[in-house]
Amino acid sequence: MTLKLDHIVIAVNDLDKAISDYTALGFNVLRGGDHPGRTTHNALAVFADGSYFELIAWKSPAPEERWWQLLQRHGEGVVDFALLPRSTADTVAAAAGRGLVLDGPLDGGRLRPDGERLHWQTARPPSPDLPFLCGDLTPRALRVPEGNARVHPNGVTGVASLSIAVRDLDGTLARYRALFGPAQDAAADPHVGRAVSLPGGQSRLALITLGESTLVLSAPRDAHAAQELESRLAARGEGPFAIVLRTSAKPDAASGALDLALTHGASIELDAAVGVAAKAAPAETASA
C-alpha cells in the first residue's frame, strides 16, 4: 500500500518567533492558520518533494494533547511525523487486518488565513515509534501549497532522512510491516529493511525507504548502548529526533548542521552532497 512522508511536526513556544527564525535560516515559511476546536495555529515550510515542516504552537494550554505535553516536559523540537495515505479509512482497515490497530479515522481541519477551510482525516498509532496518518478530504494542494511556495533561499528541496529512536527494533519493524503491508510496486511502495548491528556492538538500525526519503530506525543493542541514543530515549522516549534535508546541487548550496536556537530544538542538517547524488543518479543508470 503506497504511503509516503507527508510532514514533520516541530512544536514551538512562539509561532511568530519560529517563523522569523526559520526565515532567517533560509526557509520560505507560510502561515498555515488555526485548527478549529483546538488552541493551535501553525506555519509551513513546504519542500519540492511534497513533504513539509509544520511549526505548531498553542495559543492557550492544552494538557490533553500529547504534543503539548511533550513541549512542556522537554522543550521545543520535533514531536511527530505523518505519512500520507490514499485513503485513511482504507489504510486503517488494512493495518487492522494485519494486527496493527490505529485510532481513527478522526476528522480534522484547518482554517487558513485567507478563509479557506481544509478538511482531512488522521489516524493515530498505538506507540510513538510509528507515524500518524494524515489523509486529505479537500484537495491536498490547499493544505500543501505548490509552485514558488516550495522554493527556499537555502536550496532545500526535500527530506533525505528522518531518524527515529526506538527501544525494541524488531518489534518496531513488525509494526511497520503491519502498517505498510506487502509491497505491490517495488518502485513506489515503502521498503522495510532488515535490522543490522553497527560496529562496536552499541546499537542496531534499520532503514525504511519512502520514495525519496528514508526513515532511520535506531535502537540500543544492550546496556552499554551508544550514549547519545540512550540519552534521547531516557529523556524524550521513542520518536523522531533528527532530520537531514536534501539541498540543490548548486555550488553555493547551504550545508551542515543548523543552529538549534534558530531551529527551536529541532536537530536539522543540510546535505548538499545528497542533492548532488540524487541529481547524478539518473545519468549513471542510463549509462549502465
Side-chain angles (χ1 to χ4, degrees), residues 5 8 78 81 83 128-131 159-170 172-173 176 180 190-198 203-220 228-229 232-233 237-246 267 269 271 274:
L5 181 63
I8 298 170
V78 179
F81 69 108
L83 300 186
D129 55 337
L130 295 177
V159 177
S161 68
L162 175 63
S163 294
I164 303 159
V166 305
R167 296 191 182 280
D168 175 7
L169 184 56
D170 295 319
T172 292
L173 285 173
Y176 271 95
F180 294 141
H191 172 72
V192 181
R194 298 178 180 177
V196 297
S197 296
L198 297 183
S203 60
R204 303 171 72 218
L205 64 78
L207 304 182
I208 298 177
T209 303
L210 295 171
E212 296 181 3
S213 303
T214 300
L215 305 182
V216 183
L217 307 180
S218 301
E228 182 179 358
L229 178 59
R232 166 59 174 79
L233 286 166
E238 296 183 300
F241 69 93
I243 305 159
V244 176
L245 296 178
R246 182 184 301 105
S267 176
E269 182 176 334
D271 190 350
V274 173

Side-chain angles (χ1 to χ4, degrees), residues 24-210:
L25 288 170
F27 292 97
N28 183 8
V29 185
L30 311 172
R31 289 190 179 273
D34 299 328
H35 300 103
R38 300 175 62 192
T39 65
T40 49
H41 57 155
N42 71 2
L44 284 61
V46 184
F47 308 128
D49 67 357
S51 65
Y52 67 93
F53 283 170
E54 177 185 15
L55 307 177
I56 190 167
W58 286 257
K59 296 180 178 180
S60 61
E64 72 283 1
E65 296 186 10
R66 186 175 73 89
W67 296 345
W68 188 87
Q69 294 170 10
L70 291 173
L71 178 64
Q72 302 311 305
R73 293 172 185 167
H74 309 300
E76 299 176 301
V78 179
V79 291
D80 216 335
F81 69 108
L83 300 186
L84 176 68
R86 289 178 177 171
S87 164
T88 303
D90 289 349
T91 302
V92 168
R98 293 186 288 266
L100 179 67
V101 178
L102 302 172
D103 182 18
L106 307 170
D107 291 330
R110 173 158 51 89
L111 178 62
R112 294 195 329 193
D114 62 1
E116 187 78 52
R117 290 185 177 272
L118 316 179
H119 301 281
W120 59 70
Q121 288 186 325
T122 62
R124 294 285 172 180
S127 53
D129 55 337
L130 295 177
F132 67 100
L133 303 178
C134 184
D136 297 284
L137 298 179
T138 47
R140 187 172 189 264
L142 295 178
R143 177 171 65 94
V144 189
E146 299 176 346
N148 289 334
R150 302 187 178 193
V151 178
H152 301 271
N154 59 16
V156 168
T157 60
V159 177
S161 68
L162 175 63
S163 294
I164 303 159
V166 305
R167 296 191 182 280
D168 175 7
L169 184 56
D170 295 319
T172 292
L173 285 173
R175 287 188 285 276
Y176 271 95
R177 292 190 179 101
L179 174 62
F180 294 141
Q184 303 298 319
D185 183 343
D189 288 355
H191 172 72
V192 181
R194 298 178 180 177
V196 297
S197 296
L198 297 183
Q202 293 186 332
S203 60
R204 303 171 72 218
L205 64 78
L207 304 182
I208 298 177
T209 303
L210 295 171

Side-chain angles (χ1 to χ4, degrees), residues 154-158 160 244-258 268-280:
N154 59 16
V156 168
T157 60
V244 176
L245 296 178
R246 182 184 301 105
T247 68
S248 67
K250 295 179 180 179
D252 60 347
S255 62
L258 300 182
I268 301 171
E269 182 176 334
L270 307 188
D271 190 350
V274 173
V276 172
K279 240 185 157 76

